[in-house]
Amino acid sequence: MGHPEIPEVIRLRDARGERPEDAAGAGDFWYDPAIWRLPLSPAARVLYAGICAHAGHGEINRQDLRNLLKGQPDGAVTAALAELAEANLLIPTGGDERIASREIRPVSDFSRGSSAGRGRAAP
């Protein structure tokens, strides 16, 4: 049955808008370095930057997600994906456990969310 918690492929729709002048990366493979200043877990920040760097491909596969968080269990990947969704940075737009779709939102759309789990990260 595989790993239903990490889709085999995540199709990416890039809704970040224009590339900022201080973007890291080249061409369509870039991320906003402001991600490092957000109150997110280190795993979520790394995953967001890596997913953004894959946006030019239009998708990212399970192995690439795992490679972004080398040495971390699958649960850490799924937790980081959930944290990004809750922060309004990687929004689920459909799919299933095999092929999912997500919209990459700009760092400026960051939101803490309102769940109790996110509340503990408040300063």
Side-chain angles (χ1 to χ4, degrees):
M1 187 152 150
H3 299 280
E5 66 278 354
I6 301 175
E8 287 181 36
V9 173
I10 297 177
R11 292 195 175 120
L12 303 171
R13 181 170 123 29
D14 193 352
R16 294 176 294 164
E18 293 295 314
R19 177 188 168 112
E21 277 189 34
D22 65 342
D28 290 338
F29 306 97
W30 61 272
Y31 70 89
D32 185 339
I35 189 66
W36 306 120
R37 296 188 299 269
L38 294 181
L40 295 167
S41 70
R45 289 184 210 141
V46 168
L47 206 59
Y48 180 82
I51 288 170
C52 287
H54 280 80
H57 290 298
E59 66 183 36
I60 187 168
N61 65 44
R62 179 185 295 156
Q63 192 59 46
D64 288 334
L65 287 169
R66 287 177 175 147
N67 287 340
L68 290 170
L69 297 181
K70 274 195 189 312
Q72 297 296 310
D74 285 357
V77 175
T78 57
L81 288 170
E83 184 177 356
L84 291 171
E86 193 167 327
N88 200 39
L89 295 174
L90 188 66
I91 307 302
T93 58
D96 56 33
E97 66 274 355
R98 204 169 96 45
I99 299 176
S101 295
R102 302 289 186 268
E103 180 177 272
I104 305 169
R105 305 294 304 161
V107 170
S108 61
D109 281 8
F110 172 78
S111 165
R112 280 195 169 296
S114 60
S115 78
R118 293 291 296 157
R120 74 178 187 279

